[in-house]
CSV table of all heavy atoms in Angstrom, one decimal:
chain,number,residue,atom,x,y,z
A,391,MET,N,-193.4,-133.3,-12.9
A,391,MET,CA,-193.0,-134.3,-13.8
A,391,MET,C,-192.4,-133.6,-15.1
A,391,MET,O,-191.4,-134.0,-15.6
A,391,MET,CB,-194.2,-135.2,-14.2
A,391,MET,CG,-193.9,-136.2,-15.3
A,391,MET,SD,-192.8,-137.5,-14.5
A,391,MET,CE,-192.7,-138.6,-15.9
A,392,ARG,N,-193.0,-132.6,-15.5
A,392,ARG,CA,-192.5,-131.8,-16.7
A,392,ARG,C,-191.2,-131.1,-16.4
A,392,ARG,O,-190.3,-131.1,-17.3
A,392,ARG,CB,-193.6,-130.8,-17.2
A,392,ARG,CG,-193.2,-130.1,-18.4
A,392,ARG,CD,-194.4,-129.2,-18.8
A,392,ARG,NE,-193.8,-128.5,-20.1
A,392,ARG,CZ,-194.7,-128.4,-21.2
A,392,ARG,NH1,-196.0,-128.8,-21.2
A,392,ARG,NH2,-194.1,-127.7,-22.2
A,393,LYS,N,-191.1,-130.6,-15.2
A,393,LYS,CA,-189.8,-130.0,-14.8
A,393,LYS,C,-188.7,-131.0,-14.9
A,393,LYS,O,-187.5,-130.8,-15.2
A,393,LYS,CB,-189.9,-129.3,-13.4
A,393,LYS,CG,-190.6,-128.0,-13.5
A,393,LYS,CD,-190.6,-127.4,-12.1
A,393,LYS,CE,-191.1,-126.0,-12.1
A,393,LYS,NZ,-191.1,-125.4,-10.8
A,394,ARG,N,-188.9,-132.2,-14.3
A,394,ARG,CA,-187.9,-133.3,-14.3
A,394,ARG,C,-187.5,-133.6,-15.7
A,394,ARG,O,-186.3,-133.9,-16.0
A,394,ARG,CB,-188.6,-134.4,-13.6
A,394,ARG,CG,-187.5,-135.5,-13.2
A,394,ARG,CD,-188.1,-136.6,-12.4
A,394,ARG,NE,-188.6,-136.1,-11.1
A,394,ARG,CZ,-189.2,-136.9,-10.2
A,394,ARG,NH1,-189.7,-138.0,-10.6
A,394,ARG,NH2,-189.6,-136.3,-9.1
A,395,VAL,N,-188.4,-133.7,-16.6
A,395,VAL,CA,-188.1,-134.1,-18.1
A,395,VAL,C,-187.2,-132.9,-18.7
A,395,VAL,O,-186.2,-133.2,-19.4
A,395,VAL,CB,-189.4,-134.3,-18.9
A,395,VAL,CG1,-189.1,-134.4,-20.3
A,395,VAL,CG2,-190.1,-135.5,-18.4
A,396,LEU,N,-187.6,-131.7,-18.4
A,396,LEU,CA,-186.9,-130.6,-19.0
A,396,LEU,C,-185.4,-130.6,-18.3
A,396,LEU,O,-184.5,-130.3,-19.1
A,396,LEU,CB,-187.6,-129.2,-18.7
A,396,LEU,CG,-188.8,-129.0,-19.5
A,396,LEU,CD1,-189.5,-127.7,-19.1
A,396,LEU,CD2,-188.5,-128.9,-21.0
A,397,LEU,N,-185.3,-130.8,-17.1
A,397,LEU,CA,-184.0,-130.9,-16.4
A,397,LEU,C,-183.2,-132.0,-17.0
A,397,LEU,O,-182.0,-131.8,-17.2
A,397,LEU,CB,-184.3,-131.0,-14.9
A,397,LEU,CG,-182.9,-131.0,-14.1
A,397,LEU,CD1,-182.3,-129.6,-14.2
A,397,LEU,CD2,-183.3,-131.3,-12.5
A,398,LEU,N,-183.7,-133.1,-17.2
A,398,LEU,CA,-183.0,-134.3,-17.6
A,398,LEU,C,-182.6,-134.0,-19.1
A,398,LEU,O,-181.5,-134.3,-19.6
A,398,LEU,CB,-183.9,-135.5,-17.6
A,398,LEU,CG,-183.2,-136.8,-18.2
A,398,LEU,CD1,-182.0,-137.1,-17.3
A,398,LEU,CD2,-184.2,-137.9,-18.1
A,399,THR,N,-183.4,-133.4,-19.9
A,399,THR,CA,-183.1,-133.0,-21.4
A,399,THR,C,-181.9,-132.0,-21.3
A,399,THR,O,-181.0,-132.1,-22.2
A,399,THR,CB,-184.3,-132.5,-22.1
A,399,THR,OG1,-185.4,-133.4,-22.1
A,399,THR,CG2,-184.0,-132.1,-23.5
A,400,GLY,N,-182.0,-131.0,-20.5
A,400,GLY,CA,-180.9,-130.0,-20.4
A,400,GLY,C,-179.6,-130.6,-20.0
A,400,GLY,O,-178.6,-130.4,-20.6
A,401,ALA,N,-179.7,-131.6,-19.1
A,401,ALA,CA,-178.5,-132.2,-18.6
A,401,ALA,C,-177.9,-133.1,-19.7
A,401,ALA,O,-176.6,-133.1,-19.9
A,401,ALA,CB,-178.8,-133.1,-17.4
A,402,VAL,N,-178.7,-133.8,-20.5
A,402,VAL,CA,-178.2,-134.6,-21.6
A,402,VAL,C,-177.5,-133.7,-22.7
A,402,VAL,O,-176.5,-134.0,-23.2
A,402,VAL,CB,-179.4,-135.4,-22.2
A,402,VAL,CG1,-179.0,-136.0,-23.5
A,402,VAL,CG2,-179.8,-136.5,-21.2
A,403,LEU,N,-178.2,-132.6,-22.9
A,403,LEU,CA,-177.5,-131.7,-23.8
A,403,LEU,C,-176.2,-131.0,-23.5
A,403,LEU,O,-175.3,-130.9,-24.2
A,403,LEU,CB,-178.6,-130.5,-24.2
A,403,LEU,CG,-179.8,-130.9,-25.0
A,403,LEU,CD1,-180.8,-129.6,-25.2
A,403,LEU,CD2,-179.4,-131.3,-26.4
A,404,VAL,N,-176.2,-130.7,-22.1
A,404,VAL,CA,-174.8,-130.2,-21.6
A,404,VAL,C,-173.8,-131.3,-21.6
A,404,VAL,O,-172.7,-131.0,-22.1
A,404,VAL,CB,-175.0,-129.7,-20.1
A,404,VAL,CG1,-173.7,-129.5,-19.5
A,404,VAL,CG2,-175.9,-128.5,-20.1
A,405,VAL,N,-174.1,-132.5,-21.3
A,405,VAL,CA,-173.2,-133.7,-21.5
A,405,VAL,C,-172.7,-133.9,-22.9
A,405,VAL,O,-171.6,-134.0,-23.2
A,405,VAL,CB,-173.7,-134.9,-20.7
A,405,VAL,CG1,-172.9,-136.1,-21.1
A,405,VAL,CG2,-173.8,-134.7,-19.3
A,406,ALA,N,-173.6,-133.8,-23.8
A,406,ALA,CA,-173.4,-134.1,-25.2
A,406,ALA,C,-172.4,-132.9,-25.7
A,406,ALA,O,-171.5,-133.1,-26.5
A,406,ALA,CB,-174.7,-134.1,-26.0
A,407,GLY,N,-172.8,-131.7,-25.3
A,407,GLY,CA,-172.0,-130.5,-25.8
A,407,GLY,C,-170.5,-130.7,-25.2
A,407,GLY,O,-169.5,-130.4,-25.9
A,408,ILE,N,-170.3,-131.1,-24.0
A,408,ILE,CA,-169.0,-131.4,-23.3
A,408,ILE,C,-168.3,-132.4,-24.1
A,408,ILE,O,-167.1,-132.3,-24.4
A,408,ILE,CB,-169.1,-131.6,-21.9
A,408,ILE,CG1,-169.6,-130.3,-21.2
A,408,ILE,CG2,-167.7,-132.0,-21.3
A,408,ILE,CD1,-169.9,-130.6,-19.7
A,409,ALA,N,-169.0,-133.5,-24.4
A,409,ALA,CA,-168.3,-134.7,-25.1
A,409,ALA,C,-167.9,-134.2,-26.5
A,409,ALA,O,-166.8,-134.6,-27.0
A,409,ALA,CB,-169.3,-135.8,-25.2
A,410,ALA,N,-168.7,-133.4,-27.2
A,410,ALA,CA,-168.4,-132.9,-28.5
A,410,ALA,C,-167.1,-132.0,-28.5
A,410,ALA,O,-166.3,-132.1,-29.3
A,410,ALA,CB,-169.5,-132.3,-29.1
A,411,ALA,N,-167.0,-131.2,-27.4
A,411,ALA,CA,-166.0,-130.3,-27.3
A,411,ALA,C,-164.6,-131.0,-27.0
A,411,ALA,O,-163.6,-130.8,-27.6
A,411,ALA,CB,-166.2,-129.3,-26.2
A,412,VAL,N,-164.7,-132.0,-26.2
A,412,VAL,CA,-163.6,-132.9,-25.9
A,412,VAL,C,-163.2,-133.6,-27.1
A,412,VAL,O,-162.0,-133.8,-27.5
A,412,VAL,CB,-163.9,-133.9,-24.8
A,412,VAL,CG1,-162.8,-135.0,-24.6
A,412,VAL,CG2,-164.0,-133.2,-23.4
A,413,ARG,N,-164.0,-134.2,-27.9
A,413,ARG,CA,-163.8,-134.9,-29.1
A,413,ARG,C,-163.1,-134.0,-30.2
A,413,ARG,O,-162.2,-134.3,-30.8
A,413,ARG,CB,-165.1,-135.5,-29.7
A,413,ARG,CG,-165.0,-135.9,-31.1
A,413,ARG,CD,-164.1,-137.1,-31.3
A,413,ARG,NE,-164.1,-137.7,-32.6
A,413,ARG,CZ,-163.3,-137.4,-33.6
A,413,ARG,NH1,-162.2,-136.7,-33.3
A,413,ARG,NH2,-163.3,-137.9,-34.7
A,414,TRP,N,-163.6,-132.7,-30.2
A,414,TRP,CA,-163.0,-131.7,-31.2
A,414,TRP,C,-161.7,-131.3,-30.8
A,414,TRP,O,-160.8,-131.2,-31.7
A,414,TRP,CB,-164.0,-130.6,-31.3
A,414,TRP,CG,-163.5,-129.6,-32.3
A,414,TRP,CD1,-163.0,-128.4,-32.0
A,414,TRP,CD2,-163.6,-129.6,-33.7
A,414,TRP,NE1,-162.6,-127.7,-33.1
A,414,TRP,CE2,-163.0,-128.4,-34.2
A,414,TRP,CE3,-164.1,-130.5,-34.6
A,414,TRP,CZ2,-162.9,-128.2,-35.5
A,414,TRP,CZ3,-164.0,-130.3,-35.9
A,414,TRP,CH2,-163.4,-129.1,-36.4
A,415,ASN,N,-161.5,-131.0,-29.6
A,415,ASN,CA,-160.1,-130.4,-29.2
A,415,ASN,C,-159.0,-131.4,-28.9
A,415,ASN,O,-157.9,-131.2,-29.2
A,415,ASN,CB,-160.3,-129.6,-27.9
A,415,ASN,CG,-161.1,-128.3,-28.4
A,415,ASN,OD1,-160.9,-127.7,-29.3
A,415,ASN,ND2,-162.0,-127.9,-27.5
A,416,TRP,N,-159.4,-132.6,-28.3
A,416,TRP,CA,-158.4,-133.5,-27.8
A,416,TRP,C,-158.1,-134.7,-28.7
A,416,TRP,O,-157.1,-135.3,-28.6
A,416,TRP,CB,-158.6,-133.9,-26.4
A,416,TRP,CG,-158.6,-132.9,-25.3
A,416,TRP,CD1,-157.9,-131.7,-25.6
A,416,TRP,CD2,-159.1,-132.8,-24.0
A,416,TRP,NE1,-157.9,-130.9,-24.3
A,416,TRP,CE2,-158.7,-131.6,-23.5
A,416,TRP,CE3,-159.8,-133.7,-23.3
A,416,TRP,CZ2,-159.1,-131.2,-22.2
A,416,TRP,CZ3,-160.3,-133.4,-22.0
A,416,TRP,CH2,-159.8,-132.2,-21.5
A,417,LEU,N,-159.1,-135.3,-29.4
A,417,LEU,CA,-159.1,-136.5,-30.1
A,417,LEU,C,-158.9,-136.3,-31.6
A,417,LEU,O,-159.6,-137.0,-32.3
A,417,LEU,CB,-160.3,-137.3,-29.7
A,417,LEU,CG,-160.4,-137.6,-28.2
A,417,LEU,CD1,-161.7,-138.4,-28.0
A,417,LEU,CD2,-159.3,-138.3,-27.6
A,418,ARG,N,-158.2,-135.4,-32.0
A,418,ARG,CA,-157.9,-135.2,-33.5
A,418,ARG,C,-156.5,-135.0,-33.7
A,418,ARG,O,-155.7,-134.8,-32.8
A,418,ARG,CB,-158.7,-134.0,-34.0
A,418,ARG,CG,-158.4,-132.6,-33.3
A,418,ARG,CD,-159.3,-131.6,-33.9
A,418,ARG,NE,-158.8,-130.3,-33.3
A,418,ARG,CZ,-158.4,-129.3,-33.9
A,418,ARG,NH1,-158.3,-129.3,-35.2
A,418,ARG,NH2,-158.0,-128.2,-33.2
A,419,ALA,N,-156.1,-135.1,-35.0
A,419,ALA,CA,-154.6,-134.8,-35.3
A,419,ALA,C,-154.2,-133.5,-34.9
A,419,ALA,O,-154.8,-132.5,-35.0
A,419,ALA,CB,-154.4,-135.1,-36.8
A,420,PRO,N,-152.9,-133.5,-34.4
A,420,PRO,CA,-152.4,-132.1,-33.9
A,420,PRO,C,-152.2,-131.1,-35.0
A,420,PRO,O,-151.6,-131.4,-36.0
A,420,PRO,CB,-151.1,-132.4,-33.2
A,420,PRO,CG,-150.7,-133.8,-33.8
A,420,PRO,CD,-152.0,-134.5,-34.2
A,421,TYR,N,-152.5,-129.9,-34.7
A,421,TYR,CA,-152.2,-128.8,-35.5
A,421,TYR,C,-152.3,-128.9,-37.0
A,421,TYR,O,-153.3,-129.2,-37.6
A,421,TYR,CB,-150.9,-128.2,-35.0
A,421,TYR,CG,-150.9,-128.0,-33.6
A,421,TYR,CD1,-150.1,-128.7,-32.7
A,421,TYR,CD2,-151.7,-126.9,-33.0
A,421,TYR,CE1,-150.1,-128.5,-31.4
A,421,TYR,CE2,-151.7,-126.7,-31.7
A,421,TYR,CZ,-150.9,-127.5,-30.9
A,421,TYR,OH,-150.9,-127.3,-29.5
A,422,ALA,N,-151.2,-128.7,-37.7
A,422,ALA,CA,-151.1,-128.7,-39.1
A,422,ALA,C,-151.4,-130.1,-39.7
A,422,ALA,O,-151.8,-130.2,-40.9
A,422,ALA,CB,-149.7,-128.2,-39.6
A,423,LEU,N,-151.2,-131.1,-39.0
A,423,LEU,CA,-151.5,-132.5,-39.5
A,423,LEU,C,-152.9,-132.8,-39.7
A,423,LEU,O,-153.3,-133.7,-40.4
A,423,LEU,CB,-150.8,-133.5,-38.6
A,423,LEU,CG,-149.3,-133.5,-38.5
A,423,LEU,CD1,-148.9,-134.5,-37.5
A,423,LEU,CD2,-148.6,-133.6,-39.8
A,424,ALA,N,-153.8,-132.1,-39.1
A,424,ALA,CA,-155.2,-132.2,-39.1
A,424,ALA,C,-155.7,-132.1,-40.6
A,424,ALA,O,-156.7,-132.8,-41.0
A,424,ALA,CB,-156.0,-131.3,-38.3
A,425,ASP,N,-155.2,-131.2,-41.4
A,425,ASP,CA,-155.7,-130.9,-42.8
A,425,ASP,C,-154.8,-131.5,-43.7
A,425,ASP,O,-155.0,-131.3,-45.0
A,425,ASP,CB,-155.8,-129.4,-43.0
A,425,ASP,CG,-156.9,-128.8,-42.1
A,425,ASP,OD1,-157.8,-129.5,-41.7
A,425,ASP,OD2,-156.8,-127.6,-41.7
A,426,SER,N,-153.7,-132.3,-43.4
A,426,SER,CA,-152.7,-132.8,-44.4
A,426,SER,C,-153.3,-134.1,-45.0
A,426,SER,O,-154.0,-134.7,-44.3
A,426,SER,CB,-151.4,-133.0,-43.8
A,426,SER,OG,-151.4,-134.0,-42.7
A,427,PRO,N,-152.9,-134.4,-46.1
A,427,PRO,CA,-153.4,-135.7,-46.7
A,427,PRO,C,-152.8,-136.9,-46.1
A,427,PRO,O,-151.6,-136.8,-45.5
A,427,PRO,CB,-152.8,-135.6,-48.2
A,427,PRO,CG,-151.8,-134.7,-48.2
A,427,PRO,CD,-152.1,-133.7,-47.0
A,428,THR,N,-153.4,-138.0,-46.1
A,428,THR,CA,-152.9,-139.2,-45.5
A,428,THR,C,-151.9,-139.9,-46.5
A,428,THR,O,-151.9,-139.6,-47.6
A,428,THR,CB,-154.0,-140.3,-45.3
A,428,THR,OG1,-154.7,-140.5,-46.5
A,428,THR,CG2,-155.0,-139.7,-44.2
A,429,VAL,N,-151.0,-140.7,-46.0
A,429,VAL,CA,-150.0,-141.3,-46.7
A,429,VAL,C,-150.1,-142.8,-46.7
A,429,VAL,O,-150.2,-143.4,-45.5
A,429,VAL,CB,-148.6,-140.9,-46.2
A,429,VAL,CG1,-147.5,-141.6,-47.0
A,429,VAL,CG2,-148.4,-139.4,-46.3
A,430,ASP,N,-150.0,-143.5,-47.8
A,430,ASP,CA,-150.2,-144.8,-47.8
A,430,ASP,C,-148.7,-145.4,-48.3
A,430,ASP,O,-148.2,-145.0,-49.3
A,430,ASP,CB,-151.2,-145.3,-48.8
A,430,ASP,CG,-151.3,-146.9,-49.0
A,430,ASP,OD1,-151.0,-147.5,-47.9
A,430,ASP,OD2,-151.7,-147.4,-50.0
A,431,VAL,N,-148.1,-146.2,-47.4
A,431,VAL,CA,-146.8,-146.8,-47.7
A,431,VAL,C,-146.8,-148.2,-48.1
A,431,VAL,O,-147.4,-149.0,-47.4
A,431,VAL,CB,-145.8,-146.6,-46.5
A,431,VAL,CG1,-144.5,-147.1,-46.7
A,431,VAL,CG2,-145.8,-145.1,-46.1
A,432,THR,N,-146.3,-148.5,-49.2
A,432,THR,CA,-146.1,-149.9,-49.7
A,432,THR,C,-144.8,-150.3,-49.8
A,432,THR,O,-143.9,-149.7,-50.3
A,432,THR,CB,-146.9,-150.0,-51.1
A,432,THR,OG1,-148.1,-149.5,-51.0
A,432,THR,CG2,-146.9,-151.5,-51.6
A,433,VAL,N,-144.4,-151.5,-49.1
A,433,VAL,CA,-143.1,-152.0,-49.2
A,433,VAL,C,-143.0,-153.1,-50.1
A,433,VAL,O,-143.8,-154.1,-50.1
A,433,VAL,CB,-142.7,-152.5,-47.7
A,433,VAL,CG1,-141.3,-153.1,-47.8
A,433,VAL,CG2,-142.8,-151.3,-46.7
A,434,ARG,N,-142.0,-153.0,-51.0
A,434,ARG,CA,-141.8,-154.1,-52.0
A,434,ARG,C,-140.4,-154.7,-51.8
A,434,ARG,O,-139.4,-154.0,-51.8
A,434,ARG,CB,-141.9,-153.5,-53.5
A,434,ARG,CG,-143.3,-153.0,-53.8
A,434,ARG,CD,-143.3,-152.7,-55.3
A,434,ARG,NE,-144.7,-152.1,-55.5
A,434,ARG,CZ,-145.0,-150.8,-55.6
A,434,ARG,NH1,-143.9,-149.9,-55.5
A,434,ARG,NH2,-146.2,-150.4,-55.8
A,435,ALA,N,-140.4,-156.0,-51.6
A,435,ALA,CA,-139.1,-156.7,-51.4
A,435,ALA,C,-138.2,-156.6,-52.7
A,435,ALA,O,-138.7,-156.7,-53.7
A,435,ALA,CB,-139.3,-158.1,-51.0
A,436,GLN,N,-136.9,-156.5,-52.5
A,436,GLN,CA,-136.0,-156.5,-53.6
A,436,GLN,C,-135.4,-157.8,-53.7
A,436,GLN,O,-135.0,-158.5,-52.7
A,436,GLN,CB,-135.0,-155.4,-53.5
A,436,GLN,CG,-134.2,-155.1,-54.7
A,436,GLN,CD,-133.3,-153.9,-54.5
A,436,GLN,OE1,-133.1,-153.5,-53.5
A,436,GLN,NE2,-132.9,-153.3,-55.6
A,437,LYS,N,-135.0,-158.3,-54.9
A,437,LYS,CA,-134.3,-159.6,-55.1
A,437,LYS,C,-132.8,-159.4,-54.5
A,437,LYS,O,-132.2,-158.5,-54.8
A,437,LYS,CB,-134.2,-159.9,-56.6
A,437,LYS,CG,-133.7,-161.2,-57.0
A,437,LYS,CD,-134.7,-162.3,-56.6
A,437,LYS,CE,-134.2,-163.7,-57.1
A,437,LYS,NZ,-135.1,-164.8,-56.6
A,438,SER,N,-132.5,-160.5,-53.8
A,438,SER,CA,-131.2,-160.4,-53.2
A,438,SER,C,-130.1,-160.7,-54.2
A,438,SER,O,-130.2,-161.4,-55.3
A,438,SER,CB,-131.1,-161.5,-52.2
A,438,SER,OG,-129.8,-161.7,-51.6
A,439,VAL,N,-129.0,-160.0,-54.0
A,439,VAL,CA,-127.8,-160.2,-54.9
A,439,VAL,C,-127.0,-161.4,-54.4
A,439,VAL,O,-126.0,-161.7,-55.0
A,439,VAL,CB,-127.0,-158.9,-55.0
A,439,VAL,CG1,-127.7,-157.8,-55.6
A,439,VAL,CG2,-126.4,-158.6,-53.5
A,440,TYR,N,-127.4,-162.0,-53.2
A,440,TYR,CA,-126.5,-163.1,-52.7
A,440,TYR,C,-127.4,-164.4,-52.9
A,440,TYR,O,-128.4,-164.7,-52.1
A,440,TYR,CB,-126.3,-162.9,-51.2
A,440,TYR,CG,-125.5,-161.7,-51.0
A,440,TYR,CD1,-126.1,-160.6,-50.5
A,440,TYR,CD2,-124.2,-161.6,-51.2
A,440,TYR,CE1,-125.6,-159.4,-50.3
A,440,TYR,CE2,-123.5,-160.4,-51.0
A,440,TYR,CZ,-124.1,-159.3,-50.5
A,440,TYR,OH,-123.5,-158.1,-50.3
A,441,PRO,N,-127.2,-165.2,-53.9
A,441,PRO,CA,-128.0,-166.4,-54.2
A,441,PRO,C,-127.9,-167.5,-53.1
A,441,PRO,O,-128.8,-168.3,-53.1
A,441,PRO,CB,-127.4,-166.9,-55.5
A,441,PRO,CG,-126.0,-166.4,-55.6
A,441,PRO,CD,-126.0,-165.1,-54.8
A,442,ASP,N,-126.9,-167.6,-52.3
A,442,ASP,CA,-126.8,-168.6,-51.3
A,442,ASP,C,-127.5,-168.3,-50.0
A,442,ASP,O,-127.6,-169.1,-49.1
A,442,ASP,CB,-125.3,-168.8,-51.0
A,442,ASP,CG,-124.6,-167.6,-50.4
A,442,ASP,OD1,-125.1,-166.4,-50.9
A,442,ASP,OD2,-123.7,-167.7,-49.7
A,443,VAL,N,-128.2,-167.1,-50.0
A,443,VAL,CA,-129.0,-166.7,-48.7
A,443,VAL,C,-130.4,-167.0,-48.9
A,443,VAL,O,-131.0,-166.7,-49.9
A,443,VAL,CB,-128.7,-165.2,-48.5
A,443,VAL,CG1,-129.6,-164.7,-47.2
A,443,VAL,CG2,-127.3,-164.9,-48.3
A,444,GLN,N,-131.0,-167.7,-48.0
A,444,GLN,CA,-132.4,-168.2,-48.1
A,444,GLN,C,-133.3,-166.9,-47.5
A,444,GLN,O,-132.9,-166.1,-46.8
A,444,GLN,CB,-132.7,-169.3,-47.2
A,444,GLN,CG,-132.0,-170.6,-47.7
A,444,GLN,CD,-132.4,-171.8,-46.8
A,444,GLN,OE1,-133.1,-171.7,-45.9
A,444,GLN,NE2,-131.9,-173.0,-47.3
A,445,GLU,N,-134.6,-166.9,-48.1
A,445,GLU,CA,-135.5,-165.9,-47.6
A,445,GLU,C,-136.0,-166.2,-46.2
A,445,GLU,O,-136.2,-167.4,-45.8
A,445,GLU,CB,-136.7,-166.0,-48.6
A,445,GLU,CG,-137.7,-164.9,-48.2
A,445,GLU,CD,-138.9,-165.0,-49.2
A,445,GLU,OE1,-138.9,-165.7,-50.2
A,445,GLU,OE2,-139.9,-164.3,-49.0
A,446,THR,N,-136.0,-165.1,-45.4
A,446,THR,CA,-136.5,-165.3,-44.1
A,446,THR,C,-138.0,-164.9,-44.0
A,446,THR,O,-138.5,-164.1,-44.8
A,446,THR,CB,-135.8,-164.3,-43.1
A,446,THR,OG1,-135.9,-163.0,-43.6
A,446,THR,CG2,-134.2,-164.7,-43.1
A,447,ASP,N,-138.7,-165.7,-43.0
A,447,ASP,CA,-140.1,-165.4,-42.8
A,447,ASP,C,-140.2,-164.5,-41.5
A,447,ASP,O,-139.7,-164.8,-40.5
A,447,ASP,CB,-140.7,-166.7,-42.6
A,447,ASP,CG,-142.3,-166.6,-42.4
A,447,ASP,OD1,-142.8,-165.5,-42.8
A,447,ASP,OD2,-142.9,-167.5,-42.0
A,448,ALA,N,-140.9,-163.3,-41.7
A,448,ALA,CA,-141.0,-162.4,-40.6
A,448,ALA,C,-141.9,-163.0,-39.6
A,448,ALA,O,-141.7,-162.5,-38.4
A,448,ALA,CB,-141.7,-161.1,-41.2
A,449,ASN,N,-142.8,-163.9,-39.7
A,449,ASN,CA,-143.6,-164.5,-38.7
A,449,ASN,C,-143.0,-165.7,-38.0
A,449,ASN,O,-143.5,-166.1,-37.0
A,449,ASN,CB,-144.9,-164.9,-39.4
A,449,ASN,CG,-145.7,-163.8,-40.0
A,449,ASN,OD1,-145.6,-162.8,-39.4
A,449,ASN,ND2,-146.4,-164.1,-41.0
A,450,SER,N,-141.8,-166.1,-38.3
A,450,SER,CA,-141.2,-167.2,-37.7
A,450,SER,C,-140.3,-166.6,-36.5
A,450,SER,O,-139.8,-165.5,-36.6
A,450,SER,CB,-140.3,-168.1,-38.5
A,450,SER,OG,-139.3,-167.4,-39.1
A,451,SER,N,-140.2,-167.4,-35.5
A,451,SER,CA,-139.3,-167.0,-34.4
A,451,SER,C,-138.2,-167.9,-34.0
A,451,SER,O,-138.1,-168.9,-34.4
A,451,SER,CB,-140.2,-166.7,-33.1
A,451,SER,OG,-141.0,-167.7,-32.8
């Protein structure tokens, strides 16, 4: 029984180590982008110079 518990614990540690390695190497930002700051982009609409044109709704089809 004790050997089975040790074997199971070892297997869990090996699987956790492999998952951590995959997470570290494959699921992160590539190369130089990993340490670069994030960018927040805000879009502000500008007043139209054409008074006869109505505003369009982006959600309408």
